[in-house]
Amino acid sequence: MTPSAKITLYLSARDKIIALPSGTGRRWAETALDLADFAKSHDQTRTLALDDQARARQALTHLHQAARDCQVAIATHPRPYLGDIAEAIVAALPGHWRADVEPLSQEQDPHYLRDFLWETGEIYDLLDKTRLGFAAILRDGGSTELLLVERPSDGAYLVGALIPSPDYVEVTAPAPRSIIASDARLAARFTETRLLPDYKRAVHLSRLDEAERDLRWAREDHEPGAYDAMDLQAALYRFRTHATAFIATLRDNPPLSVEQTAFLDRMQDGLNLDALDAPDPEALADAGAVWLIDGEELIEMARAATPAPVTPPARPKRLATAPPPPGTVVFNVPGPRR
């Protein structure tokens, strides 16, 4: 009879063995690991420290005996533990990155991650059709999240972008293309020089789309006095958030003329970007006026500063699009209409 449960053993560079139980009879695999005195981790894995070699050999002997009694298959993964690869990649990336390893022992685990991928490509297909032991999410401490997986056929590493939170930006731009590398060093280099620049560009374009849509709606697609002002405040907050990123991008990519520099200074002050989350009502009203009068010029400057793509656009993924915001009361400020 084919075992309904499996234990896969991964050797980590941190002097330990990681055991991943899987299969429909996973509880029998977990029982075998308990009997062998493998330590429970915070996730679905178990670990065995290798600092005491005699104890480790005894635990592995007990594990094989318990697995035989529980009719559980045991396999040893032939390549380095993905968590070690993830740590090597984030250590080589600029900034403050961290890696969180995700065990994929249950059938729904890879499908859950697949739904958050930005690109429909090889990583998507691997998560959809291939049995993977682990994935890792690489986070920059801000809004950027990348997914790392290992391709079973040849051991290559694939890194792709996860969709940013809709609270951060509604994704409308083509997805940044995933990278493929044979080792952690190349994966880090390709991520830094290809994936992250294209990710930044895609987020920039999505911000522009959202900022243009909100400004057009605020100027045209409403009837004054007919709607809830909360919708307008939400749109203004989105614009101020995007304006912060636009201004930073423009300042980081000189040269700027004296007039352009002065304009950015006025927008910074007028939109009250230094108090993005806690502006007083008067400052918020002033920011609304600046948005309606000068927002279009800032968007045009930001669009002109859009960097060229590093790689060709990836195959697009069909994403649900949010409906346009409902109309609401507009600020009583004169402004150009298109």
Side-chain angles (χ1 to χ4, degrees), residues 213-245:
R213 184 199 69 192
D214 280 342
L215 182 58
R216 183 171 57 248
W217 161 75
R219 286 176 169 177
E220 300 176 356
D221 299 342
H222 72 282
E223 292 191 11
Y227 303 101
D228 187 349
M230 293 299 294
D231 293 325
L232 190 62
Q233 291 177 13
L236 174 58
Y237 182 84
R238 283 193 297 270
F239 185 86
R240 293 170 68 227
T241 301
H242 298 332
T244 302

Side-chain angles (χ1 to χ4, degrees), residues 125-141:
D125 292 339
L126 282 174
L127 290 170
D128 191 41
K129 302 172 183 176
T130 308
R131 186 53 137 169
L132 304 176
F134 288 96
I137 299 177
L138 316 181
R139 296 182 167 95
D140 72 343

Side-chain angles (χ1 to χ4, degrees), residues 251 254-266 297 301:
R251 294 193 194 279
L256 294 171
S257 68
V258 174
E259 292 78 10
Q260 288 174 323
T261 301
F263 173 74
L264 294 183
D265 290 342
R266 290 200 308 272
E297 184 174 350
M301 284 182 64

Side-chain angles (χ1 to χ4, degrees), residues 18-330:
I18 295 91
L20 179 66
S22 60
T24 56
R26 189 175 64 256
R27 64 185 181 90
W28 291 110
E30 293 169 347
T31 298
L33 289 165
D34 288 339
L35 292 172
D37 204 25
F38 273 62
K40 293 183 179 180
S41 300
H42 67 280
D43 50 26
Q44 304 163 30
T45 64
R46 308 296 174 93
T47 60
L48 174 65
L50 299 178
D51 50 353
D52 185 337
Q53 294 187 8
R55 180 182 176 279
R57 282 195 298 270
Q58 184 180 42
L60 289 171
T61 298
H62 289 165
L63 176 62
H64 281 82
Q65 293 171 344
R68 184 180 61 248
D69 294 341
C70 295
Q71 296 186 336
V72 174
I74 295 181
T76 301
H77 192 70
R79 292 184 52 80
Y81 170 54
L82 190 70
D84 294 340
I85 300 298
E87 291 294 341
I89 292 173
V90 298
L93 292 176
H96 303 284
W97 289 76
R98 79 171 195 270
D100 297 313
V101 180
E102 299 285 338
L104 306 179
S105 60
Q106 301 189 53
E107 187 175 348
Q108 67 270 24
D109 291 340
H111 295 166
Y112 173 78
L113 288 174
R114 178 202 64 192
D115 293 341
F116 288 94
L117 276 172
W118 195 337
E119 176 191 4
T120 299
E122 188 168 0
I123 297 184
Y124 188 96
D125 292 339
L126 282 174
L127 290 170
D128 191 41
K129 302 172 183 176
T130 308
R131 186 53 137 169
L132 304 176
F134 288 96
I137 299 177
L138 316 181
R139 296 182 167 95
D140 72 343
S143 59
T144 306
E145 294 184 341
L146 309 177
L147 184 68
L148 166 69
V149 298
E150 178 185 344
R151 186 164 60 191
S153 61
D154 60 0
Y157 300 108
L158 285 73
V159 184
L162 296 178
I163 300 171
S165 164
D167 294 335
Y168 176 70
V169 63
E170 180 191 339
V171 168
T172 53
R177 185 175 291 277
S178 304
I179 62 98
I180 303 175
S182 58
D183 57 44
R185 179 184 61 84
L186 284 175
R189 191 175 84 191
F190 294 162
T191 298
E192 180 179 356
T193 60
R194 300 180 190 177
L195 177 56
L196 288 177
D198 280 344
Y199 178 93
K200 184 177 180 180
R201 180 179 188 273
V203 169
H204 180 76
L205 290 173
S206 295
R207 284 185 181 277
L208 285 168
D209 290 344
E210 192 164 52
E212 286 180 333
R213 184 199 69 192
D214 280 342
L215 182 58
R216 183 171 57 248
W217 161 75
R219 286 176 169 177
E220 300 176 356
D221 299 342
H222 72 282
E223 292 191 11
Y227 303 101
D228 187 349
M230 293 299 294
D231 293 325
L232 190 62
Q233 291 177 13
L236 174 58
Y237 182 84
R238 283 193 297 270
F239 185 86
R240 293 170 68 227
T241 301
H242 298 332
T244 302
F246 294 156
I247 292 174
T249 297
L250 289 163
R251 294 193 194 279
D252 289 342
N253 293 277
L256 294 171
S257 68
V258 174
E259 292 78 10
Q260 288 174 323
T261 301
F263 173 74
L264 294 183
D265 290 342
R266 290 200 308 272
M267 291 298 286
Q268 179 88 31
D269 293 339
L271 290 172
N272 197 23
L273 299 184
D274 293 333
L276 186 62
D277 293 316
D280 61 66
E282 184 177 350
L284 193 62
D286 292 342
V290 171
W291 172 38
L292 293 177
I293 295 171
D294 294 323
E296 185 174 6
E297 184 174 350
L298 179 61
I299 291 171
E300 289 174 353
M301 284 182 64
R303 188 169 290 283
T306 302
V310 176
T311 57
R315 187 170 61 185
K317 178 177 180 179
R318 186 180 298 276
L319 298 171
T321 56
T328 185
V329 178
V330 73

